[in-house]
Amino acid sequence: MLAIQPTVLSAGVLDATVLLDCLPDVVLVLDEAGCLRYANAAAERQLGWTRAQWMGRSAFDLLHPDDFAVAVASMGTMQDKEYGTPVEVRVSDADGGWHLMEIVGANHHHRTEVGGLVLVVRDITQRRMWEIAGGDVARFQQVIQHSPSITMLLDADGIVTSVNGAFTRLLGFDPSVVIGESLSAFVATESMGLLVEVLGSMSRDHRNTSIELSMKRLDRDELRPIRFEFADLLSDPVVAGIVVSGYDVTELQRVRNDLEQMARHDALTGLANRSLMLSCLDTYLAIGRPVAVVFIDLDRFKPVNDLFGHEAGDELLAQVAARLAQAVRPGDVVARVGGDEFVVLAPGISGWTSATLLAERIESALSAQYELSVGPVKVGASAGVAISDSMSSVASLLADADVRMYEAKSERRGTTTRAAGEPRRNASERRQLADALAAGIGRGEVVAHLQPIIDLHSRKLVGVEALARWNHPDLGELAPASFLDLVEDAGLDMPFGAAVLESACRTLEILNVRGIQVPLAVNLSVGQLAHPSLCEQVVRTVTDHGLDMEQLIIEITERAMLTRHAAAGMSSPDETLQKLRAAGAALSLDDFGTGFSSLTHVRRFPLASLKIDQTFVAGMETCAEDRAVVEVVVGLARGLGLQVVAEGVETVKQWEMLRQVGCDHAQGYLMSRPLDADAAVSWITSYVAAV
Ligand code: C2E
Ligand code: MG
Ligand code: MG
């Protein structure tokens, strides 16, 4: 047992141990084995050890393991009786907390009254904190408190022990709620796993980590992305915790998204680019989701670019993109994959009917006139479709759609008919669509759009033609080309025709009330004409709306004229037409020149007019044969006392040529497109007032 001898002072006898206990610094004496033999009272004051706790224990038990090497080296250099250079080590207190201690020691082994290594140990934790804080701890705390970044201290279990104001500013939670709570309580479910993993790995290898966590916000449903840096300072006496700093990366994420958007989107139109489209298609195929691929190419883009310049071309492409985005369902992918080439991916479409209808809807959306800064322009679009099956690859689907698009383009040549390469709808698809049409007729989805017919010489309005439209609840507005075959196949001629006539008569009734009486041309199918009660039905509808049968023009195709014999229980179209004629309606032969028309047929019927098919009108400007056909038809009609209506008049030049050859009436986009009821009423009202 170490004995410390009393020292004699002049005034009397003073116990040296009493004197040592008065010192603010810890004084320790270690024996040769490094075990504690003596500690003064400061050891208990500063580190909380009682005599029973320190007596006989190895000094290394109380040292931080990382500081062993420093301690051993310094002990080896301790000179006899001389106090050498101080070293800094971490020493644990009775509660397991770490204190930063500055130690100087001297070797007094040879002195029997001491017999060991004397260490003077000073706690410099506060001093170091002071140094870090630049001499002003309160100010430093204020700076941290108002820092825009979150600063938090966690204990080894991830419990928040202190937090600055940024946490409240960014996430809304009050410090009183946060302190004492696990950090995980404020982390969104999707980030929880990551946090647990990071805390686990930190407690294993004490490595600093940086992660992005989705954080909850008080009173808001939205989450906020925060990037957190975790630094393990659990063994740092000054800090004694895991220091977490976090900053808001919402803006950073936005920039990141923008960059990604730029890399995967077309800058001009904002649509997906080829690479994004390819990776989406690849994903659909990989997860086995059925998908329809529509390849779209503009028909007359180059002339617009060449004639009006690239700015006009860009403007046009942007408008095309907007129409495409409108024409598809949310979730479909619309991409620009080349100068004037686009691809639509419609996941979930697995049938030809829906796919073909989508392609038709896209074509018709894109062929409407564009209003550019340089004036109005018209370009068509050709679309080809392919549908995925278990054998499909990205390349095969795109190639199929591309081929069908080219077939459509070469077949179309300015007309609105679909490509011959179009896949046939299968029986069950036809059935489904026919059911939808039957139900749609009942719900009022089938309506008439009206297109004005104008006198080429007086410019007066001489009639309107009713053109059927089906407002399909999912596919939007459909033109007759996409559903007329269904009407016929499903035997819906009568209800369909009745819906169109009813819709047109309602609009004409409104015009009648305004004092405007316009002849109404309606298209009748063979199925309608074969129905024994068609004439009665038409007369009833027309008169119910206060219109005259003399106002009605029945348009029939040459095919109707050729079907002369009645099936069992049916009438022959001839009979029905005679009855309609007798009731006051005029008859007009539609699409003249495209079918089997011969003079015999024309003479056999009590016709009032012929409609020259639009393909001849379209070719008039450039093709001498087409011009000749128009002249012959006009001459023929003259001779027979019939009026001639030219269809599909799109340009002023066509109008002029038709007028010169003596054609009577004209109908076409030049004057007006087919208009829905409201648009027709206002167009006609103002046209009649002006002309
Ligand atoms: P259609 O009777 O020959 O009607 C003229 C077609 O040409 C309409 O097509 C019209 O929108 C289109 N058109 C008009 N002006 C122009 C133009 O300037 N340029 C071009 N390229 N086209 C123009 P839509 O409405 O698609 O009708 C197509 C055909 O469907 C009609 O040809 C008609 O045969 C038939 N159809 C329309 N509605 C009915 C109906 O209610 N019943 C029956 N049975 N058939 C109908
Ligand atoms: Mg017609
Ligand atoms: Mg026609």
Side-chain angles (χ1 to χ4, degrees), residues 465-467 522-523 555 590-591 611 647 667:
E465 178 175 14
L467 294 160
V522 293
N523 298 281
E555 289 194 13
D590 208 348
D591 303 345
K611 293 187 87 166
E647 281 184 327
Q667 177 183 351

Side-chain angles (χ1 to χ4, degrees), residues 506-580:
R506 218 176 304 133
T507 310
L508 260 74
E509 189 176 15
I510 298 171
L511 287 164
N512 263 8
V513 171
R514 298 194 180 179
I516 301 170
Q517 284 198 319
V518 195
L520 170 68
V522 293
N523 298 281
L524 296 188
S525 68
V526 179
Q528 280 174 285
L529 291 173
H531 205 277
S533 59
L534 177 87
C535 185
E536 286 72 12
Q537 231 189 56
V538 169
V539 172
R540 196 174 332 116
T541 308
V542 168
T543 49
D544 276 357
H545 285 279
L547 307 177
D548 271 336
M549 273 306 279
E550 275 73 21
Q551 246 177 292
L552 196 67
I553 303 162
I554 305 292
E555 289 194 13
I556 44 167
T557 58
E558 297 166 64
R559 192 172 143 228
M561 287 173 55
L562 289 169
T563 317
R564 299 185 62 180
H565 302 291
M570 290 292 178
S571 306
S572 81
D574 274 18
E575 272 170 54
T576 312
L577 287 170
Q578 300 292 355
K579 272 161 81 177
L580 283 165

Side-chain angles (χ1 to χ4, degrees), residues 380-398:
S382 305
V385 199
I387 284 184
S388 66
D389 59 32
S390 57
M391 306 293 289
S392 299
S393 68
V394 168
S396 73
L397 276 173
L398 286 170

